[in-house]
Amino acid sequence: MQVGSNCGPNHYPESVVSQTLTHLQRLEAESIYIIREVLAEAENPVMLYSIGKDSSVMLHLAMKAFYPSKPPFPLLHVDTTWKFREMIEFRDNLAKDLGIDLIVHINQDGVEQGVGPFTHGASLHTDIMKTQSLKQALDKYGFDAAFGGARRDEEKSRAKERVFSFRNAQHRWDPKNQRPELWHLYNGRVRSGESMRVFPLSNWTELDIWQYIYQENIPIVPLYLAKKRPVVEREGMLLMVDDERLPLAPGETPEMRTVRFRTLGCYPLTGAVESDASDLPGIIEEMLVSRTSERQGRAIDHDTAASMEKKKQEGYF
Amino acid sequence: MSVAIEQYLSEQAAKTTLRFLTCGSVDDGKSTLIGRLLYDSKLIFEDQLAALEADSRRQGTQGEDIDFALLVDGLAAEREQGITIDVAYRFFATDRRKFVVADTPGHEQYTRNMATGASNAELAVILIDARKGILTQTRRHSFIASLFGIRHLVLAVNKMDLVAYDEKVFDDIVAQYRQFAAQLGDPEIVPIPMSALKGDNVTDASSHMSWYKGPTLLEHLETVQVDSDLLTAPFRMPVQWVNRPNLDFRGFSGTVAAGRVSPGDAVTVLPSGQRSKVARVVTFEGDLKEALPGQAVTLLLEDEIDISRGDVLAAAQAPPQASDQLGVHLLWMDEQPMFPGRQYYLKTGTRTLPCVVTELKHLVNVNTLETQPAKSLSLNEVGVANVSLSDRVAFDPYQEGRELGSFILIDRQSNATVGAGLFDYSLRRADNIHWQALTVDKAHRASLKHQKPCVIWMTGLSGSGKSTIANLLESRLSDMSRHTYVLDGDNVRHGLNRDLGFTEADRVENIRRVGETAALMTDAGLITIVSFISPFRSERRMVRDRLENGEFIEVFVDTPLDVCEQRDPKGLYQRARAGEISNFTGIDSEYQPPEEPEIHIDTVALSPTQAVERILEFLRQNGKLREM
């Protein structure tokens, strides 16, 4: 599949087109407006690309926003070195196909210290290889605006974050001192050293994302689709044995189960769900009966209710 | 399977979206109501529900029952304090419609948050505690909702369970409310008696109030017609970005703010007034025959005309007005009050430009709707004011169109969003005043004197030595046959500014007048020496922006406070310390030193004569003193 191919299913019912925008059209237009606004106001913007489904949608929207021009900013992937192998392969192919600059940043300090989720624990690993690494990359290239694919329906503290989220020179988010956002008038002004995190998908829900991917034929990492994969079960989470770095407990043997992922991150921190949804309609159908939110598959969110808010204040995306 | 999904997707596509706002105070049960809507529409996932049940037992106020408010109050501070302090957006859908709820706090100190929620909402649910009836806050919420253009109100009379579901209580509240709402320009009002906690008339009809025949809240939200006039309004599109992939393509990217646009349509560019026709409506999916309100497109025009970001493309037969002097409503959103005369950036559509609030006519008491005179506008206050912009902008009156009728004000120092405004009308002064084209101009006047006019602006604490240096500088320039004039804090305050005191507002006005006087003198060709404490950066910046590039020379007369206090030539510090003078710079009023002055004079290291030499050297180097 190619981004931008017009071979997708029928776009919108005729009668609707002539009257008013559909729900997805409205979301799409709103996101494109935000993306263009950042380009116009920021000096050196970058798009954070996590390879996940939300990033894929965000990138697709950027392709639309500037057509027939290419998105006039690079993509940045913060690689923790523990991503699924299929993600990395997908990332490199996509950047090549679209002809967009891709910057891959790895926290070399962390690599030298041998930081990983098994040796250092999920929180420390995430902090060093993701949060600190992201700050390193933003500082290194002097980006003053970074797009992220976060949505307000993901988590409670995100529901209150602005579309244009101001960060001070230390990349900190201050939830009590956010700029009011009225109408569509976003204030992207920053002083030297300060920056903006911008969330064009703020108003999308997980279901919107999947419907849009289906409607637009947006390529996604195959890990989202059900397939027989080698997994081990730990503390209620199904972990995929993606490479030999996953230490097996005595007597623990990977078994082949039909699973898929609702969210993608570091493979040792991302739980799979048992599922038969091997294509997009299957996923959408599963979504409609699903009673578990997607972040349940993420180990780092399970601490306290305020954990995400705390992480965000420290500079996590 | 795929057929079923196709059908599902097209059903989804046919759904419209309603954006609504809930307003009410802490105890009115607002968060409970939203939690109930999310819960009843099955928008809460199992893991969230498990977390909610755990949280309810730990922090909740409902004993063993689920405390729905905990679901909605997101930030940790809010959960601890049990209040909603920010705007949260929630999404839910029913079989008939999709909803975006802006959940906003009700206290007066959060008026700005409510306004934020209202700015993009089509309907407001105003909660009333049935036991308390219409309160000050009810009037405030209704006023803000109406001011920000919401024409559909739901009067949710909540906690009916606590008044024994009494019809008379409900009827009295509704009658009283309708009487009040007449002042708001006749919005649509739908009153509903309910209990969010018990679930009466939220999603299911109440079995306790058979006397009520109207819709439940959800039924009303699903069916209310909020058809905006955007489809039939004249075309408007602020240009966001000029799209130039190659030399043959010059497109104007933007979102259609109102109306529709098709190839062949005649358009006017604002504010320049140039005209052309639309050649193509370009999108990623291919060219469109017509673009609708809200759609993001790229327009190509038939003629090559100069258009840049911030301009507005509009229907040629019904263009918006353009003005640089406007009457506005302004809601202040910053801890630092607004003073007339101070400069801000104004952003409207895709245009950002310098602006001054020239006059604050009055403020509107958000609780009583009464007007009262005011010299400044504080956090959460609403005022009626005049603004002056550095250039003409296209606008529609807010009540005719939100997109071109709205603006925000941005602080020039901190970049914070400090105000939200609604354009009401053009003062039309810009159209009436034409500058006399004088044949004797500034350059001519200055050439007679063999000098380039400029303003040497000395800022520093009281007693720092500004006047001493200014007087010495003037006599040196006079010796060189240069035509000068000194504006001194004391002499100006005895005449031109005798009506001003020392409050922050008066200080701003003081500097504005001195800046204007200095600008006139510059126009007359003089070298003007200004000796003013001028403690605030934004006012000094205002004067700098008032003048042409290079004309404003900021001299920071830098003397430490303790040295000034020791010198104390007029005994003022002693009196300030004794509490006899208030708002004294350096004692109980802030001095903001210049960040990048043209000349920095350290008076501890330099004598006044040396300081003057330093200034003269700068003037020579910058061509202000030509050889005669």
Side-chain angles (χ1 to χ4, degrees), chain A residues 37 64 69 160 186 291, chain B residues 46 78 240 243 285 347:
Chain A
E37 205 58 10
K64 287 195 171 193
S69 299
K160 304 211 167 180
Y186 300 107
R291 298 289 288 156
Chain B
E46 275 169 12
E78 293 178 355
Q240 264 190 303
N243 194 340
E285 281 82 19
K347 183 172 185 184

Side-chain angles (χ1 to χ4, degrees), chain A residues 231-232 234 241 244-254:
Chain A
V231 293
V232 293
R234 287 185 187 169
V241 185
E244 69 296 340
R245 290 182 294 176
L246 185 104
L248 294 175
E252 195 178 47
T253 42

Side-chain angles (χ1 to χ4, degrees), chain A residues 20-143:
Chain A
T20 174
L21 301 188
T22 66
H23 176 68
L24 283 181
Q25 278 179 311
R26 200 166 160 175
L27 287 174
E28 177 189 76
E30 187 179 84
S31 302
I32 289 176
Y33 177 84
I34 292 163
I35 293 170
R36 286 173 173 170
E37 205 58 10
V38 172
L39 176 81
E41 297 215 332
E43 299 210 342
N44 188 16
V46 67
M47 181 167 275
L48 268 291
Y49 177 68
S50 74
I51 321 177
K53 62 186 190 303
D54 303 302
S55 277
S56 298
V57 167
M58 186 165 64
L59 178 56
H60 183 75
L61 291 165
M63 296 298 291
K64 287 195 171 193
F66 303 107
Y67 177 85
S69 299
K70 284 270 166 66
F73 40 73
L75 302 180
L76 170 65
H77 178 232
V78 175
D79 191 344
T80 62
T81 73
W82 289 87
K83 300 293 174 191
F84 291 91
R85 285 174 299 168
E86 279 179 80
M87 290 171 72
I88 301 300
E89 196 183 318
F90 179 87
R91 174 195 76 190
D92 294 340
N93 287 336
L94 189 76
K96 216 185 316 160
D97 289 350
L98 297 180
I100 297 184
D101 282 347
L102 169 73
I103 298 169
V104 175
H105 182 81
I106 295 174
N107 182 352
Q108 289 303 334
D109 300 343
V111 171
E112 278 160 31
Q113 290 160 30
V115 172
F118 297 117
T119 46
H120 293 71
S123 303
L124 195 59
H125 163 74
T126 304
D127 180 54
I128 294 174
M129 297 308 286
K130 200 165 167 182
T131 309
Q132 300 305 327
S133 185
L134 171 65
K135 290 194 228 174
Q136 271 176 4
L138 295 177
D139 288 342
K140 180 177 171 190
Y141 297 97
F143 294 123

